């Protein structure tokens, strides 16, 4: 087993370059099934979730070659099965995109139910409602989702809940359907727009991604080849922005899209730290005083992202005053607060609300990552804390962050990964 050991008290300083978005790449890779051709993808994050989806796609018959650290080609022209193995798909959340892609392409899909971080119930009723609206029959039994359709016909679908997964999955299922599909009340995250941009770059006809309504005009087939670069990861960029505030440092974040970070930027300024948008793709964050308390409510984009909630919680743990976070998306995303309390924080989490009584500083302690973003938050806390912290359950962190300790080390952190 590995652990990350951090000796804290560092003010992070310097530059960091952001990688491709996990939540876009985990959808675009399955989406290449719709092409039945060869695609080159650039700025692909080299993380365990991506390795898992590549492994599943290869088991379906895809041919994948990593030609550089963050660049691969995928050839889906010889996919010979529409059954994705449960033992692999149950390892992570985004495996449900295989349903939309396989159903959209082959009118048949059998995919093991997704796993993923433990954030509470992870329902897929909106995905199923959408597939059925397109003419599919869907069954969920024995740990797998089976979807079949004689043909897929465009329809109007209103999502009861704003869902990233359902929005993307229904785009995938309707791209080759007959006629037009309208998705109302869709999610608008940057990765939704990125998936639509990718599909359009290989011949799909999707309009309105990122707005309150997405229109997909079904096409006969997609191109047999394409090249696409994954959008920079909004959440990785936000993670480093918050690490600058938590450590009272000064970090310039490169290769990001500052427009995607407006809700975070506003909150960082509100708490008394400093942000400078250099050129729309580079942002500088610095903080040399104790941040003021804040109230946060996580919301679908363009609201404050739930995936930055734990990282913001670290900053609020030592802010001046008492702060409140209302987690409106997930029912169980405050598990990290118990770990921060081991480090001297004074947080009371109850259901979807947590109260942070700001303390002067945090102290090193052995802590356990409970999910992907909680793990990143604990690293930030350890860097800012006094003393030494050991962080366990690194598999969560490795799902979504590439070389995270290397990136923090380059910013001055005293951090290393060691084998237990
Ligand atoms: C995606 O999860 C992300 N994961 C999550 O990021 C992120 O937290 C989430 O979107 C919200 O932004 C990936 O993209 C792989 P949802 P997803 O469907 O698609 C409810 C990370 O840290 N819901 O938008 O599973 C659901 O219970 C991960 O990178 C239904 O009720 O999230 C939740 O309350 C963690 N029925 C809300 O909607 C459904 O059919 C949002 O879920 C689907 C969802």
């Amino acid at each position: 087993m590995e652990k990350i050991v951090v000796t804290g008290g560092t003010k992070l300083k310097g530059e960091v370059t952001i990688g491709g978005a996990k939540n876009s790449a985990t959808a675009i890779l399955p989406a290449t099934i719709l092409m039945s051709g060869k695609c080159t993808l650039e700025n692909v994050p080299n993380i365990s979730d991506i390795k898992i989806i590549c492994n599943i796609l290869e088991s379906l018959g895809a041919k994948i070659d990593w030609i550089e650290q963050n660049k691969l080609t995928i050839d889906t022209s010889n996919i010979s099965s529409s059954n994705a193995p449960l033992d692999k798909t149950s390892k992570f959340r985004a495996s449900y995109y295989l349903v939309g892609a396989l159903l959209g392409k082959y009118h048949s899909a059998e995919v093991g139910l997704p796993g993923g971080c433990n954030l509470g119930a992870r329902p897929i009723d909106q995905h199923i409602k959408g597939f059925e609206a397109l003419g599919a029959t869907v069954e969920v039994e024995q740990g797998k989702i089976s979807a079949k359709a004689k043909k897929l016909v465009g329809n109007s679908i209103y999502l009861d809940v704003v869902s990233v997964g359902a929005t993307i999955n229904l785009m995938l299922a309707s791209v080759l359907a007959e006629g037009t599909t309208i998705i109302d009340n869709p999610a608008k995250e940057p990765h939704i727009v990125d998936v639509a941009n990718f599909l359009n770059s290989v011949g799909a006809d999707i309009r309105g991604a990122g707005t309150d309504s997405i229109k997909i005009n079904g096409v006969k087939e997609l191109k047999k080849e394409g090249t696409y670069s994954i959008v920079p990861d909004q959440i990785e960029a936000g993670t480093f922005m918050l690490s600058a505030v938590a450590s009272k440092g000064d970090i310039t974040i490169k290769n990001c899209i500052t427009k995607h970070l407006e809700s975070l930027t506003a909150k960082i300024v509100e708490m008394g730290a400093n942000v400078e948008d250099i050129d729309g793709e580079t942002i500088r964050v610095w903080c040399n005083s104790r941040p003021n308390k804040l109230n946060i409510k996580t919301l679908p984009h363009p609201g404050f992202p739930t995936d930055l909630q734990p990282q913001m919680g670290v900053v609020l743990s030592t802010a001046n005053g008492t702060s409140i976070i209302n987690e409106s998306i997930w029912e169980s995303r405050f598990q990290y607060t118990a770990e921060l309390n081991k480090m001297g924080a004074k947080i009371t989490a109850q259901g979807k609300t947590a109260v942070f009584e700001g303390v002067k500083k945090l102290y090193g302690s052995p802590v356990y990552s409970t999910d992907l973003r909680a793990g990143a938050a604990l690293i930030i806390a350890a860097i800012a804390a006094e003393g030494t912290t050991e962080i366990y359950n690194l598999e969560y962190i490795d799902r979504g962050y590439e070389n995270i300790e290397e990136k923090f080390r380059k910013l001055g952190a005293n951090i290393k990964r060691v084998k237990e």
Side-chain angles (χ1 to χ4, degrees), residues 22-24 26 49 92-94 96-97 117 119-128 161-168 187 189 191 235 299-301 305-307 328-331 333 352 371-373 399-400:
K22 165 180 89 80
N23 293 346
S24 178
T26 48
D49 263 8
F92 84 120
R93 180 79 187 152
Y96 52 44
Y97 292 137
C117 286
L119 303 175
R122 305 290 292 261
I124 54 170
D125 56 299
Q126 299 299 307
H127 301 240
I128 294 167
V161 186
V162 175
S163 160
V164 167
T167 303
I168 291 177
E189 275 69 7
H191 26 290
I235 304 304
L299 286 166
H301 191 76
T306 175
D307 295 347
S328 75
I329 309 288
W330 296 113
E331 61 199 25
R333 196 163 206 172
K352 291 197 163 188
D371 73 70
L372 161 62
R373 307 303 174 183
R399 288 189 44 215

Side-chain angles (χ1 to χ4, degrees), residues 17-25 43 45 164 187-194 230-242 253-265 268 283 299-309 311 373 400-401:
T17 299
I18 301 303
K22 165 180 89 80
N23 293 346
S24 178
N43 205 31
V164 167
K188 305 177 200 165
E189 275 69 7
H191 26 290
I192 304 278
V193 177
D194 203 41
I230 306 289
V231 74
D233 194 319
Q234 163 204 35
I235 304 304
E236 188 190 15
T239 301
F240 282 99
M241 288 168 70
L242 286 162
I253 293 106
K254 301 170 77 172
N255 188 39
C256 66
I257 297 180
T258 56
K259 178 103 185 81
H260 295 163
L261 293 153
E262 285 176 340
S263 59
L264 175 59
T265 300
I268 289 177
I283 195 163
L299 286 166
H301 191 76
F304 190 91
T306 175
D307 295 347
L308 289 174
Q309 185 260 99
Q311 302 90 314
R373 307 303 174 183
Y401 289 93

Side-chain angles (χ1 to χ4, degrees), residues 140-204:
V140 180
E141 55 188 16
Q142 295 153 12
K144 60 177 186 275
I145 312 165
S146 306
K148 289 196 180 339
K150 284 197 178 47
K151 66 177 178 176
L152 294 169
V153 179
N155 203 342
S156 287
I157 303 160
Y158 184 89
L159 293 180
D160 308 344
V161 186
V162 175
S163 160
V164 167
T167 303
I168 291 177
N169 231 348
L170 297 177
M171 282 200 294
L172 299 181
S174 57
V175 152
L176 300 174
E178 284 176 24
T180 297
T181 297
I182 307 279
I183 305 173
D184 284 320
N185 195 30
K188 305 177 200 165
E189 275 69 7
H191 26 290
I192 304 278
V193 177
D194 203 41
V195 173
N197 289 344
F198 162 71
L199 289 167
N200 285 339
S201 77
V202 290

Side-chain angles (χ1 to χ4, degrees), residues 10-13 238-253 268 273-274 284-288 315 380 408 411:
T10 305
K11 293 182 189 306
L12 296 171
K13 289 203 184 335
T239 301
F240 282 99
M241 288 168 70
L242 286 162
S243 74
V245 181
S247 68
K248 297 201 182 50
D250 184 341
I251 301 178
T252 296
I253 293 106
I268 289 177
N274 309 284
R284 179 188 167 212
V285 179
W286 70 102
C287 177
N288 33 40
V315 173
I380 295 173
F408 276 122
L411 292 168

Side-chain angles (χ1 to χ4, degrees), residues 20 33 36 38 40 45-46 119 184 205 229 243-244 257 269 288 333 335 351 353 357 389 397:
I33 289 170
S36 292
K38 186 167 184 177
T40 301
N46 203 321
L119 303 175
D184 284 320
D205 181 358
S229 182
S243 74
I257 297 180
V269 170
N288 33 40
R333 196 163 206 172
Q335 298 160 71
T353 304
E357 194 186 323
T389 299
I397 301 170

